[in-house]
């Protein structure tokens, strides 16, 4: 795609770009709105917990000729909940429905008996406990908490605490949005959903870390120059990894979209839909938050540092001085030099190297000396 | 950036062929192993493949009307869950049904017979000293003359008698109250100084029951009857095995059957010395130093350790078979190791001619202690897939379509480089598939639908690694470098990014795997596996392949379809005309 290819090149040269950091307030606003919607959804509608979490009723039928798919439909109609139906070795069916109390289960039993045309007393109804029980869910939370602590520590060491904090905020943001969507859509939360959520968690962090890695690299010697503020550099770093972010997100989302739309189209609602919805929403949110939320947040936090404040003052002073374009790059500055003439003023900081770097270009090794 | 680290990258660049050969050989070997083992598909979980469903019903035991309560049921569920899903990757499900049933669902392909034994029959575990042991079915055992089994000095039959008379409340309650072992109760009754004298109590016990003469004194006549029972017992007959020693009181001697290889033995056993609940942990280990082969190591809690030290101290003085203690599981002797010396400190090793399987199943039984309730198997039936096969089918089709789209996208965007990307993806996919297939029989790994979806997402994460790298290389080319230096210079930075971000994923996987249980653990395992494979593939396949291909003129000259065309990438015009002819860069200016 030459257009895309060119876009990459132009992003690289800083000819085009979007001022992510400058417009951060807009995106914060968007995120806050979505998050509030999600929280309201959670509060009002609540999550529809599946049988693994809250237990439910299990109906065991005698031998019947009704197919599994049909029984699923009957049970769903009778109870209003998606049902898990398994054929037993005896030829009967085991139908599990979440969130049913004793009174309701009798009613469903009668309906099922009619649907399956078997006598009602031959259907055995029992309440099942949550197979996920408090133990599994509790341990999952425990693991999650330990992981969060470790990851924040790790990021604080590998990068810095501001980035750790921003990554954490982005993560909470993604999880809130995903669970909120679940509450709004009303899908049942199954073990698959939880696993989907955990997948997202890993991915969201992963994505954020990739973006931060480039940010860290580009802001290494930021105080040694007076052309760009931290925000400018942060912005250019997002823009320079934008191609990678877009590509990765597309590559990750395509198969999931396939699952969600194609798989869902084939089958209608089902576990596959449950899982792929959480994955789809989460992956999209994860990609979005690492670009629009996490990095601007780091810039926000960094700009409060006295060092960065001083830098900003210097930069602004210098810009005011330079009435005409074409400032000279700092000699000691490795990563910020030679801005192309046509760069948009807001878009900055590209990683081209000063002329001195071109020595030894012709050498196969790429070594300079 | 001035000088890229020349550590591994240097060696990698000099020997790209070696890494490629390494990974290809690994793939070939694993695939060969997969076909050789005959497990050519990953094992699927219940949701996809169905399996066996076992319904267990808690049985009321006399004297404990209130034992079947929610707490005990939940404990039982927890223990069974650990038994059938010890590693957390087998996808077995355990849940309560009604107020006295437990349903255990085991995915197809796991050894359901073994699992049934593990969950259903594993009710209670005790360590009892062996008083007599005979091969069973070889005619009547020589009637045990009192002298032959007399090993005990003191015969404090009072203890056993007082137990019999002083109401059996305490021993029975101990069967349910986990961690309050029977012997405590015994001590309390036999010795005035209660708990402090564990040794005294324990030491009297084995010998107490050791001699039939002592039991002759017991009013109940239980022991005398026991001798007769023992003489008559024929463990080679299943119907006799089913009744042998059932309902034995913990504080009294009993008979039991046990199997050594293919031979049934019958045992006359003393009262319970240590309760199975006092085993803190057990594991099967392979003895690498000595020649003991597979062993089971177990660790007792503090009170168990004390009792175990006492009983072993006692037993080590004796001769076969009375120097043996029997590990009795649900009234069947699963193992009867002999004791050479007193084992203090609470750590013991059981060695014998164990196979790996034996050792693991014994350690499982020991680890997961005793169930608080007795269960009977009320039904075993096969169940079909909970989700129906069409879900998996649709999932795979959708995933395939999604992957095809990914390939198209990569080809459009990366052109020639896409070949490398697609090849890397293929290598990842093959490795993942083969390893998952192999893990089925080895550790009982089973895939459920969420895990399949997770594996599909993992494709994106894998793809990301080489996207990061490709973008780096292209950036280098935009700087005006020719391809080969660009490939080498781009690598260290890309490598760092890949490692840092994969580390986060791996950290998540490791923590979740260690902390959680059940399905989440299975998921964590899948995540960790795919993350590791991602790193392996990028390091050993993608990078070397790119290094090799960079030497080809198609790429090196930046053919417009190579995805590395400097012109297309908008490389900067070189500032000096010292370019190598192999990589002409057209100046980008009019």
């Amino acid at each position: 795609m030459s257009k895309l290819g060119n876009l990459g090149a132009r992003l690289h040269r800083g000819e085009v770009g979007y001022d992510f950091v400058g417009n951060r307030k807009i995106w914060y606003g968007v995120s806050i709105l979505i998050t509030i919607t999600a929280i309201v959804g959670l509060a009002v509608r609540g999550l529809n917990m599946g049988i693994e979490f809250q237990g439910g009723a299990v109906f065991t039928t005698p031998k019947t000729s009704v197919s599994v798919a049909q029984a699923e439909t009957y049970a769903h109609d009778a109870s209003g909940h998606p049902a898990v139906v398994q054929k037993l070795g005896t030829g009967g069916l085991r139908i599990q429905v979440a969130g049913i109390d004793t009174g309701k289960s009798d009613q469903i039993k009668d309906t099922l008996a009619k649907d399956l045309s078997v006598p009602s007393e031959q259907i055995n109804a029992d309440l099942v406990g949550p197979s996920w029980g408090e133990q599994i869910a509790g341990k999952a939370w425990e693991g999650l908490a330990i992981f969060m602590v470790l990851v924040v520590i790790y990021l604080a060491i590998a990068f810095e605490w501001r980035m750790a904090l921003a990554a954490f905020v982005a993560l909470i943001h993604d999880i809130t949005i995903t669970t909120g969507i679940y509450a709004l859509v009303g899908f049942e939360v199954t073990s698959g959903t939880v696993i989907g959520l955990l997948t997202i968690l890993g991915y969201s962090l992963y994505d954020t870390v990739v973006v931060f890695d480039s940010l860290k690299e580009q802001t290494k010697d930021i105080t040694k120059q007076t052309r760009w503020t931290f925000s400018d550099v942060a912005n250019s770093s997002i823009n320079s990894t934008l191609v990678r972010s877009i590509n990765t997100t597309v590559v990750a989302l395509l198969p999931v979209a396939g699952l969600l739309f194609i798989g869902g189209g084939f089958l209608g609602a089902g576990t596959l839909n449950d899982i792929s919805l959480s994955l789809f929403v989460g992956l999209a949110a994860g990609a979005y938050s690492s670009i629009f939320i996490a990095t601007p947040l780091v810039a926000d936090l960094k700009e409060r540092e006295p060092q960065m404040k001083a830098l900003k003052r210097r930069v602004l002073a210098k810009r005011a001085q330079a009435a005409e374009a074409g400032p000279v790059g700092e000699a000691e500055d490795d990563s910020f030099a030679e801005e192309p003439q046509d760069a948009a003023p807001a878009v900055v900081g590209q990683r081209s190297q000063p002329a001195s770097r071109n020595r030894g270009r012709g050498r196969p090794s790429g070594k300079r000396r | 950036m001035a000088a890229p680290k020349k550590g591994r990258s240097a060696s990698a660049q000099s020997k790209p062929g070696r890494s490629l050969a390494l990974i290809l050989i690994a793939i070939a070997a694993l695939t060969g192993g997969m076909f050789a083992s005959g497990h050519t598909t990953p094992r699927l979980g219940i949701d996809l493949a169905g399996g066996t469903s076992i319904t267990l019903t808690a049985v009321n035991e006399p004297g404990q009307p209130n034992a079947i309560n929610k707490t005990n049921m939940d404990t039982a569920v927890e223990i069974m869950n650990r038994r059938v899903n010890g590693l957390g990757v087998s996808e077995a499900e355990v849940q309560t049904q009604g107020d006295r049933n437990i349903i255990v669902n085991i995915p197809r392909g796991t050894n359901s017979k073994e699992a049934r034994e593990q969950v259903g029959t594993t009710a209670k575990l005790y360590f009892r000293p062996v008083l007599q042991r005979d091969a069973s079915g070889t005619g009547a055992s020589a009637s045990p003359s009192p002298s032959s089994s007399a090993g005990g000095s003191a015969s404090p039959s009072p203890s056993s008698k007082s137990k019999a008379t002083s109401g059996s409340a305490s021993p029975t309650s101990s069967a349910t109250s986990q961690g309050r072992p029977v012997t405590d109760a015994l001590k309390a009754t036999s010795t005035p100084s209660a708990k402090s004298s564990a040794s005294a109590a324990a030491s009297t016990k084995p010998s107490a029951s050791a001699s039939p003469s002592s039991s002759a004194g017991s009013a109940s006549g239980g022991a005398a009857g026991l001798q007769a029972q023992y003489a008559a017992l024929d463990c080679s007959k299943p119907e006799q095995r089913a009744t042998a020693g059932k309902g034995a009181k913990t504080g009294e001697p009993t008979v039991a059957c046990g199997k050594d290889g293919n031979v049934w033995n019958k045992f006359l056993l003393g009262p319970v010395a240590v309760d199975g609940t006092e085993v803190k942990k057990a594991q099967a280990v392979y003895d690498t130093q000595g020649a003991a082969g597979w062993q089971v190591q177990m660790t007792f809690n503090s009170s168990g350790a004390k009792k175990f030290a006492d009983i072993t101290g006692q037993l080590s003085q004796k001769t076969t078979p009375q120097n043996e203690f029997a590990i009795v599981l649900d009234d069947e002797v699963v193992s009867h190791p002999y004791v050479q010396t007193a084992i203090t400190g609470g750590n013991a090793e059981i060695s014998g001619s164990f196979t790996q399987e034996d050792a693991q199943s014994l350690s499982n039984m020991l680890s997961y202690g005793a169930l608080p309730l007795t269960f009977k198997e009320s039904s075993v039936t096969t169940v079909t897939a909970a989700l129906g096969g069409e879900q998996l089918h649709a999932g795979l089709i959708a995933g395939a379509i999604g992957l095809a789209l990914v390939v198209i996208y990569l080809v459009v965007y990366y052109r020639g480089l896409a070949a490398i990307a697609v090849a890397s993806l293929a290598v990842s996919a093959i490795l993942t598939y083969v390893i998952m297939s192999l893990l089925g029989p080895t550790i009982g790994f089973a895939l459920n639908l969420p895990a399949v979806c997770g594996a599909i997402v993992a494709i994106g994460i894998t793809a990301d690694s080489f996207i990061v790298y490709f973008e780096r290389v292209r950036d280098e080319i935009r700087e005006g470098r020719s391809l080969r230096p660009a490939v080498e210079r781009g690598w260290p930075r890309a490598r760092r990014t890949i490692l840092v971000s994969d580390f986060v994923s791996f950290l998540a996987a490791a923590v979740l795997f260690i902390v959680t249980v059940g399905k989440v653990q299975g998921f964590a395992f899948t995540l960790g596996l795919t993350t590791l494979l991602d790193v392996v593939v990028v390091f050993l396949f993608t990078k070397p392949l790119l290094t090799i291909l960079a030497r080809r003129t198609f790429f090196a000259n930046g053919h417009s379809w190579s995805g590395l065309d400097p012109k297309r990438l908008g490389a900067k015009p070189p500032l000096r005309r010292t370019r190598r002819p192999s990589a002409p860069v057209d100046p980008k200016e009019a």
Side-chain angles (χ1 to χ4, degrees):
Chain A
M1 203 87 202
S2 60
K3 256 208 229 140
L4 261 178
N6 278 343
L7 177 68
R10 290 167 61 203
L11 279 168
H12 178 79
R13 285 197 302 273
E15 287 169 20
V16 291
Y18 177 82
D19 191 359
F20 293 98
V21 178
N23 295 326
R24 65 183 181 274
K25 294 273 192 315
I26 299 173
W27 298 109
Y28 288 172
V30 168
S31 274
I32 289 169
L33 270 182
I34 300 176
T35 311
I36 288 174
T37 315
I39 291 171
V40 167
L42 278 172
V44 173
R45 298 198 46 162
L47 284 173
N48 182 1
M49 287 300 196
I51 198 159
E52 285 122 325
F53 294 98
Q54 55 170 13
V58 59
F59 302 95
T60 318
T61 71
K63 197 168 161 64
T64 169
S65 58
V66 175
S67 77
V68 168
Q70 259 178 309
E72 267 173 13
T73 321
Y74 291 146
H76 193 164
D77 293 345
S79 64
H81 288 270
V84 175
V85 179
Q86 292 167 287
K87 226 180 178 50
L88 301 173
T90 57
L93 294 173
R94 173 188 288 176
I95 302 169
Q96 299 190 58
V97 188
I100 303 290
D101 53 24
T102 323
K104 186 112 196 265
S105 91
D106 287 342
Q107 188 191 323
I108 294 171
K109 186 165 113 175
D110 295 338
T111 320
L112 277 177
K114 268 205 282 296
D115 287 336
L116 303 173
S117 48
V118 288
S120 167
E121 57 273 13
Q122 281 190 24
I123 295 183
N124 179 20
D126 237 330
L127 293 182
V128 287
S131 61
W132 260 52
E134 283 143 28
Q135 190 210 6
I136 297 187
K139 285 236 193 295
W141 284 117
E142 192 185 321
L144 210 57
I146 293 175
F147 166 66
M148 296 268 196
V149 171
L150 285 179
V151 119
V152 167
I153 292 172
Y154 170 71
L155 291 181
I157 293 169
F159 300 110
E160 56 173 313
W161 66 265
R162 291 176 190 81
M163 289 189 179
L165 182 69
F168 187 71
V169 169
L171 189 63
I172 301 293
H173 164 271
D174 299 344
I175 292 179
T176 316
I177 288 180
T178 313
T179 44
I181 296 244
Y182 253 76
L184 291 171
V185 176
F187 277 179
E188 205 155 84
V189 178
T190 60
S191 56
T193 318
V194 172
I195 285 168
L197 206 63
L198 291 171
T199 310
I200 287 159
L201 204 135
Y203 183 84
S204 161
L205 271 171
Y206 173 94
D207 206 44
T208 310
V209 167
V210 172
V211 176
F212 280 1
D213 197 53
S214 116
L215 179 62
K216 183 188 174 184
E217 181 199 358
Q218 296 196 29
T219 55
K220 210 165 41 190
D221 296 325
I222 189 158
T223 49
K224 295 183 186 161
Q225 50 84 54
T226 53
R227 298 196 44 176
W228 318 114
T229 63
F230 187 93
S231 297
D232 298 337
V233 178
N235 205 41
S236 75
S237 116
I238 302 179
N239 276 305
S240 61
T241 50
L242 198 57
V243 172
R244 174 258 141 203
S245 299
I246 293 170
N247 282 350
T248 302
T249 311
V250 168
V251 168
L253 275 181
L254 277 176
V256 177
L259 287 180
L260 182 62
F261 299 115
I262 305 166
F266 275 142
L267 295 170
T271 313
L272 203 58
N273 254 4
D274 291 3
I275 303 169
S276 47
L277 178 78
S278 75
L279 287 177
F280 190 85
V281 173
L283 289 179
Y288 160 87
S289 69
S290 55
I291 293 174
F292 288 90
I293 305 296
T295 316
L297 204 57
V298 172
D300 256 347
L301 291 167
K302 278 297 260 196
E303 290 289 10
R304 296 191 186 156
E305 265 191 332
Q307 244 188 328
M308 293 299 153
K309 275 186 182 155
L311 173 69
K312 192 169 179 176
R313 273 201 302 277
R314 286 206 303 273
V315 171
L316 291 178
K318 193 164 173 185
R319 281 187 193 165
Q321 251 179 28
E324 71 276 4
V328 188
E330 306 291 305
E332 76 268 73
D333 158 32
D334 239 50
S335 4
F336 312 97
E338 290 205 77
E339 187 203 357
Q341 304 279 334
D342 49 358
V347 178
V348 286
Q350 38 125 351
R351 299 168 315 127
S352 59
Q353 293 152 341
S356 64
R357 302 300 299 270
N358 295 331
R359 255 177 296 155
R361 261 278 186 68
R363 297 177 197 215
S365 65
K367 273 193 251 178
R368 285 189 295 154
R369 261 164 227 98
Chain B
M1 281 297 289
K5 282 199 276 296
K6 281 288 174 209
R8 279 170 301 172
S9 65
S11 58
Q13 91 188 65
S14 54
K15 297 270 185 284
R18 194 179 289 181
S19 325
L20 276 180
L22 183 71
I23 196 161
L24 291 175
I25 288 169
I27 290 175
L30 284 169
T31 315
M34 178 176 86
F35 282 108
S37 72
H39 297 273
T40 51
T41 49
R43 181 174 295 173
L44 297 174
I46 302 170
D47 54 353
L48 298 175
T52 309
S53 175
I54 304 164
T55 308
L56 299 159
T57 308
V59 183
N60 255 326
E61 289 193 32
Q64 314 162 37
N66 302 322
I68 301 177
N69 55 31
K70 191 170 180 317
T71 315
N72 278 344
M73 289 294 281
D74 287 349
T75 308
V77 164
E78 216 170 292
I79 290 173
M80 286 183 192
N81 196 22
R82 280 204 303 259
R83 277 186 196 146
V84 291
N85 200 359
L87 277 170
V89 293
S90 76
E91 293 301 321
E93 292 169 352
V94 184
Q95 62 192 127
T96 58
Q97 174 179 343
D99 47 12
R100 57 174 49 213
N101 291 336
I102 290 183
I103 300 182
V104 181
N105 294 319
I106 300 154
R108 177 162 307 173
T110 33
N111 185 339
S112 64
K113 183 170 159 289
E114 196 178 290
R116 279 167 62 183
E117 281 167 10
Q118 278 177 326
V119 291
T121 60
T122 314
K124 301 200 182 90
L125 179 79
Y126 298 116
F127 294 83
R128 288 173 179 261
V130 174
L131 307 178
Q132 265 184 283
R133 168 167 57 85
D134 292 287
S136 193
T138 56
S141 55
S143 62
S145 60
S147 62
S148 75
S149 55
S153 41
S155 63
S157 46
S159 80
S160 64
K161 264 207 312 206
S162 69
K163 250 201 31 50
T165 50
S166 68
S168 50
S170 52
T172 41
S173 70
S174 65
T176 51
S177 68
Q178 295 235 348
R180 243 193 69 76
V182 173
T183 39
D184 267 355
L186 252 177
K187 274 176 310 196
T189 53
S190 63
T191 56
S193 58
K195 292 197 171 100
S196 60
S197 60
S199 55
S203 61
T204 53
K205 260 189 328 102
S207 46
S209 46
S211 60
S213 62
S214 75
S215 43
S218 83
S220 62
L226 199 65
Q227 277 293 350
Q229 219 182 330
Y230 179 70
L233 182 64
D234 180 358
C235 281
S236 56
K237 295 201 170 74
E239 64 276 12
Q240 290 218 25
R241 285 206 297 274
T243 56
K246 289 289 178 274
K249 296 267 195 309
T250 50
E252 289 175 12
T254 180
V255 295
C257 294
K259 203 172 180 183
D260 281 347
N262 294 323
V263 185
W264 281 97
N265 284 329
K266 56 180 178 175
F267 295 82
L268 184 60
L269 302 171
V272 172
V274 188
D275 194 306
T277 51
E278 306 207 63
V279 178
K280 204 160 61 180
K281 183 174 98 180
Q283 55 186 14
V285 288
Y286 189 77
D287 182 17
T288 44
Q289 274 87 38
W294 281 95
Q295 304 177 318
V296 177
Q297 291 180 338
M298 51 184 178
T299 311
F300 289 93
N301 65 15
S302 56
S303 69
K306 225 183 297 178
K307 288 178 206 140
F308 194 70
D310 292 328
I311 182 81
T312 49
Q314 294 279 330
L315 295 177
S316 60
Q317 310 295 320
K318 298 184 182 170
T319 55
T320 311
Q322 284 157 26
N323 62 354
E324 295 176 352
F325 66 86
I327 300 174
V328 187
L329 192 62
D330 220 28
D331 306 322
E332 187 174 302
V333 176
V334 290
S335 172
H336 50 99
Y338 65 90
V339 183
Q340 285 162 306
T341 54
I343 300 168
T344 53
N347 290 312
E349 264 175 19
I350 304 173
S351 51
S353 48
F354 285 122
T355 62
Q356 180 178 355
E357 214 171 299
D358 290 345
Q360 273 165 348
S361 87
L362 180 60
S363 70
N364 255 347
M365 292 168 187
L366 292 166
S367 293
Y368 301 138
L371 288 172
L373 298 166
T374 310
F375 287 89
K376 72 173 200 306
E377 219 174 67
S378 49
S379 83
V380 178
T381 173
T382 55
V383 287
T384 55
L387 296 175
E390 75 272 14
Q391 290 270 359
L392 176 65
H393 207 70
L396 290 178
I397 290 174
I401 292 172
L403 273 182
L405 290 173
V406 167
V407 170
I408 291 169
Y409 180 84
L410 287 174
V411 168
V412 166
Y413 191 85
Y414 285 115
R415 311 237 160 154
L417 279 180
I420 298 172
V422 172
S424 307
L425 277 180
V427 167
S428 279
I430 292 170
L431 274 176
T432 310
Y433 182 88
V434 170
I435 289 176
M436 281 180 176
S437 303
L438 283 172
L439 287 175
T442 42
I443 61 168
F445 176 80
L447 264 181
N448 56 9
L449 192 63
V452 173
C453 294
I456 290 175
V457 172
I459 291 166
I461 294 188
T462 310
D464 179 72
S465 295
F466 41 77
I467 288 174
V468 165
Y469 183 32
F470 289 170
E471 287 301 323
R472 276 271 155 205
V473 172
R474 292 176 125 191
D475 281 351
E476 297 288 343
I477 289 175
R478 290 184 183 121
E479 301 293 346
R481 283 195 182 78
S482 60
L483 180 60
R484 279 178 63 184
V487 165
E488 294 315 323
R489 286 189 59 102
W491 177 236
R493 289 282 317 139
R495 182 177 63 200
R496 214 199 78 140
T497 308
I498 291 166
L499 286 178
V500 167
S501 45
D502 272 340
F503 179 81
V504 171
S505 286
F506 193 75
L507 184 69
V511 170
L512 289 175
F513 186 76
I514 291 165
V515 175
T516 59
V517 289
K519 276 187 184 167
V520 179
Q521 204 174 25
F523 156 78
F525 185 85
T526 312
L527 179 68
L529 181 71
T530 49
T531 308
L532 276 183
L533 284 177
D534 172 27
V535 175
V536 167
V537 168
V538 169
F539 273 68
L540 294 182
F541 187 82
T542 312
K543 161 72 175 62
L545 189 62
L546 194 56
T547 306
I548 289 175
L549 288 181
R551 297 172 189 169
R552 300 243 162 259
T553 49
F554 175 78
F555 285 101
N557 290 344
H559 185 283
S560 66
W561 267 98
S562 67
L564 292 166
D565 179 6
K567 190 166 158 192
R568 192 174 282 286
L569 294 178
K572 291 198 326 194
L575 294 164
R576 297 192 200 161
R577 290 279 166 205
T578 51
R579 310 213 51 79
R580 291 161 61 236
S582 65
V585 176
D586 314 40
K588 243 193 81 86
E589 55 207 22

